[in-house]
Amino acid sequence: MYFNSLRSRTGFCIYSESSADLGKFINSLRNSPIQFYGLTFRRDKLYGYVRSGNYERLERLASEHSLICERTEERGIYFVTKGYHLRFGIIAGFLLSLIMLWVMSDRVTRIDIGGNERVTEEELLSLLRDTGIYVGSRISDIDLRAAERQIVGMDKDIAWVGIRHTGSRVVVEIDEINPIPEMERSNTPCNIVAARDCQIKQVRVYSGMLIPMVGDSVRKGDVIISGVVDTKFGRSFYVHAMGEITGVYREKMTFSQPLHDTERIHTGNAVKKAVSIFGKRIVYHREGKVTGEYEYYEEEAPLRIGKITFPISLVTMHYSLTEEVTVTRTAEEAFRLCENRIKNYEENFLSGDVTVTDREIVRKDSENAVTVTVVFTVEGEVGTDHSIFAKYEGREQPEAPKKEAD
Amino acid sequence: MAAYNGSQIVICGNTYLEVENCKRIMEYNDIYLKVRTTDGIIAEIWGSGLRLSDYNTNGIAVRGNISSIELHGKGEE
């Protein structure tokens, strides 16, 4: 470009009222240090541009030749900004953006985590925070290699950590320790024994020798498929007994619901809204008062422009206020609650590979509570491996509380 | 390299012309420009909308629609 649009220049118009010679003036102008551009004649007037700093010299030169010099226009960054020099908002905004640029260029604005499966992002973020890496921390203060060593030392599930930063984004790559898989040794001699007292309903033997018949009753610990197999020649050898044993057994559960009970009830809601800047929260709106105990959850909406996420977000904090009250119920209400609990128990503990074929419900009302005893008739797998040569010490498995085999 | 003190005229298409070592502008308006160079050559440039710029010491640049250029040697004027 012939003209640098940023440089300031002033347009001029030179003419004569007394028929002075413009030709002489042009040659004087050429011989002077004043640079001019776009000199043109229009209606006996000479138009052109000079640098703004040369305009006064041009005026002097024109007056020496008895010519009139007029300023026609002013262009360039100086004249554009001159009109805004009293707009303090623009100046403040410009300075603020410069400060923000300076601050943001040395702050962590985003942490990306990759390679984790078992270790959650929250755990990793907490570990990173302990090493001084969090959204808002100064990048120049972070010792990435030391942080890597610290994190590997702090979590036994992490085998390797690689931390790097690209601009204000910190990328954390981890490699988890793979647990040694539990080896199922299929060649160890073992029996299949009854895991509980039951009646055998169906048997599939893949390996070993079946001891009781279908329809027989067995007690917990009785051998159902033996790993000691006798041959017709009077010899015995050991095998890894395999098979599927389906048995029918009964399971007794007792559910009790007091008629007078203390419960936590919902009393109201409260909401707080805050602006989070580098993790620091500034609350700007409150709705309701947060007192006593409450359940809490929050929603965070980070500021995003395109694919860039800024460390500024709007946080809405929801408080569900609760209060402990004494509730009095009728026997029928208490019984319905017990029924719900029975239903939940069945869904959670007696579903999947077992089937409830029957249930006997016995209700007992007392002065303070309703007690419901349920006897479930359950059909399911009852066999469990029991190694022949292993040493069993105090091997009775602890029973679940309130759970009784009938 | 020794500096060349003679006149040098560069023409770019019919819209731009540079005259190096221009000594004096003898006549100038928007359709006609007459200049004398340091070695005495007189260049007459005809056209329309001629605009003049002083792009360096002793050099001028002419922009506009240039229709003809005439050169006259010493004493031909």
Side-chain angles (χ1 to χ4, degrees):
Chain A
M1 273 293 278
Y2 199 75
F3 273 103
N4 183 346
S5 60
L6 293 177
R7 298 192 73 169
S8 54
R9 57 189 171 139
T10 303
F12 64 84
C13 169
I14 290 173
Y15 58 94
S16 167
E17 284 183 335
S18 58
S19 69
D21 190 1
L22 281 170
K24 273 187 180 176
F25 170 74
I26 293 168
N27 281 300
S28 300
L29 184 61
R30 279 201 60 246
N31 293 327
S32 73
I34 304 168
Q35 268 197 321
F36 60 90
Y37 314 96
L39 204 65
T40 179
F41 259 112
R42 287 201 296 270
R43 294 177 187 170
D44 295 333
K45 288 183 178 175
L46 196 59
Y47 293 88
Y49 296 96
V50 288
R51 297 219 190 285
S52 298
N54 286 333
Y55 184 74
E56 284 183 13
R57 292 168 105 174
L58 178 78
E59 272 186 330
R60 279 200 299 272
L61 191 68
S63 66
E64 281 170 15
H65 288 80
S66 307
L67 296 169
I68 297 163
C69 180
E70 283 178 3
R71 197 187 295 258
T72 54
E73 62 174 319
E74 286 171 326
R75 284 187 186 178
I77 190 79
Y78 171 77
F79 296 107
V80 171
T81 54
K82 196 181 168 187
Y84 295 98
H85 77 286
L86 287 176
R87 304 278 183 98
F88 297 115
I90 293 172
I91 295 165
F94 181 70
L95 290 175
L96 192 67
S97 63
L98 283 181
I99 292 165
M100 281 291 285
L101 202 65
W102 176 70
V103 170
M104 299 271 278
S105 63
D106 193 35
R107 298 275 166 176
V108 176
T109 56
R110 188 171 143 189
I111 298 173
D112 287 343
I113 294 169
N116 58 318
E117 285 177 10
R118 294 191 310 280
V119 182
T120 62
E121 277 198 13
E122 286 72 26
E123 285 170 5
L124 276 167
L125 287 172
S126 169
L127 292 172
L128 288 166
R129 178 170 278 277
D130 291 346
T131 58
I133 302 171
Y134 50 90
V135 173
S137 61
R138 284 186 65 172
I139 292 170
S140 52
D141 289 348
I142 300 171
D143 185 348
L144 295 177
R145 301 292 85 80
E148 285 171 358
R149 284 195 298 276
Q150 276 184 49
I151 290 171
V152 170
M154 281 193 284
D155 197 317
K156 61 181 169 47
D157 289 333
I158 299 172
W160 171 87
V161 177
I163 307 174
R164 62 191 158 87
H165 73 88
T166 51
S168 55
R169 171 172 161 255
V170 171
V171 181
V172 183
E173 298 271 357
I174 73 158
D175 205 357
E176 294 176 358
I177 289 173
N178 292 321
I180 300 163
E182 199 178 318
M183 299 296 285
E184 197 175 306
R185 305 189 67 170
S186 60
N187 56 356
T188 310
C190 73
N191 296 320
I192 292 181
V193 300
R196 57 179 76 240
D197 300 350
C198 65
Q199 184 188 16
I200 294 169
K201 195 179 175 194
Q202 193 182 343
V203 175
R204 278 187 188 165
V205 180
Y206 304 126
S207 171
M209 194 166 70
L210 184 67
I211 306 290
M213 291 294 117
V214 171
D216 288 356
S217 294
V218 290
R219 292 192 66 79
K220 183 180 175 183
D222 285 355
V223 176
I224 301 172
I225 302 174
S226 174
V228 183
V229 180
D230 298 327
T231 65
K232 58 184 176 181
F233 304 109
R235 295 182 66 184
S236 299
F237 59 94
Y238 297 103
V239 296
H240 179 90
M242 285 190 289
E244 289 173 21
I245 318 293
T246 308
V248 178
Y249 54 94
R250 303 181 85 194
E251 202 171 294
K252 187 172 162 186
M253 288 294 301
T254 303
F255 299 90
S256 182
Q257 177 62 51
L259 297 178
H260 308 285
D261 202 2
T262 53
E263 280 186 7
R264 199 159 282 287
I265 60 158
H266 174 77
T267 53
N269 292 314
V271 176
K272 281 185 192 174
K273 290 182 180 177
V275 178
S276 173
I277 303 167
F278 288 114
K280 302 283 177 212
R281 291 183 177 180
I282 303 159
V283 177
Y284 66 90
H285 174 77
R286 286 170 204 270
E287 200 177 298
K289 199 176 175 186
V290 181
T291 51
E293 294 188 12
Y294 51 80
E295 287 172 13
Y296 174 78
Y297 76 94
E298 65 181 37
E299 295 166 59
E300 191 161 2
L303 174 67
R304 283 199 183 94
I305 297 174
K307 288 183 180 176
I308 304 166
T309 305
F310 290 87
I312 299 167
S313 55
L314 286 177
V315 185
T316 310
M317 295 169 269
H318 299 271
Y319 298 85
S320 178
L321 307 172
T322 58
E323 196 179 320
E324 203 169 68
V325 292
T326 305
V327 180
T328 304
R329 291 192 175 85
T330 62
E332 281 310 308
E333 284 171 342
F335 179 66
R336 273 200 295 279
L337 282 176
C338 285
E339 280 184 322
N340 284 338
R341 285 166 63 189
I342 292 165
K343 196 178 162 193
N344 289 339
Y345 180 81
E346 276 189 43
E347 281 172 4
N348 292 323
F349 299 104
L350 300 174
S351 60
D353 52 357
V354 295
T355 318
V356 176
T357 54
D358 191 23
R359 59 183 75 72
E360 292 166 24
I361 299 174
V362 180
R363 173 177 166 179
K364 189 179 170 189
D365 290 10
S366 66
E367 197 179 328
N368 297 319
V370 171
T371 307
V372 179
T373 305
V374 192
V375 179
F376 296 101
T377 304
V378 184
E379 195 177 306
E381 177 67 36
V382 292
T384 179
D385 287 3
H386 192 267
S387 189
I388 294 171
F389 298 119
K391 218 179 201 179
Y392 292 98
E393 290 176 2
R395 58 198 163 84
E396 285 294 317
Q397 295 294 318
E399 284 183 358
K402 286 188 172 182
K403 208 171 180 179
E404 297 168 22
D406 199 17
Chain B
M1 203 171 94
Y4 178 62
N5 288 324
S7 57
Q8 184 176 343
I9 298 173
V10 179
I11 306 166
C12 300
N14 67 339
T15 55
Y16 184 74
L17 181 142
E18 277 178 14
V19 182
E20 293 272 7
N21 294 328
C22 167
K23 191 177 179 185
R24 182 178 156 75
I25 295 167
M26 297 168 75
E27 199 175 340
Y28 169 55
N29 55 49
D30 61 341
I31 59 162
Y32 177 68
L33 173 68
K34 186 178 179 182
V35 294
R36 184 203 296 273
T37 63
T38 48
D39 52 1
I41 290 172
I42 290 166
E44 287 181 279
I45 298 141
W46 292 88
S48 61
L50 298 181
R51 284 174 289 129
L52 208 60
S53 295
D54 173 28
Y55 78 97
N56 68 6
T57 311
N58 283 340
I60 56 162
V62 183
R63 287 166 196 273
N65 291 316
I66 298 163
S67 56
S68 72
I69 301 161
E70 288 175 30
L71 299 174
H72 304 282
K74 293 173 190 173
E76 282 183 30
E77 193 184 353

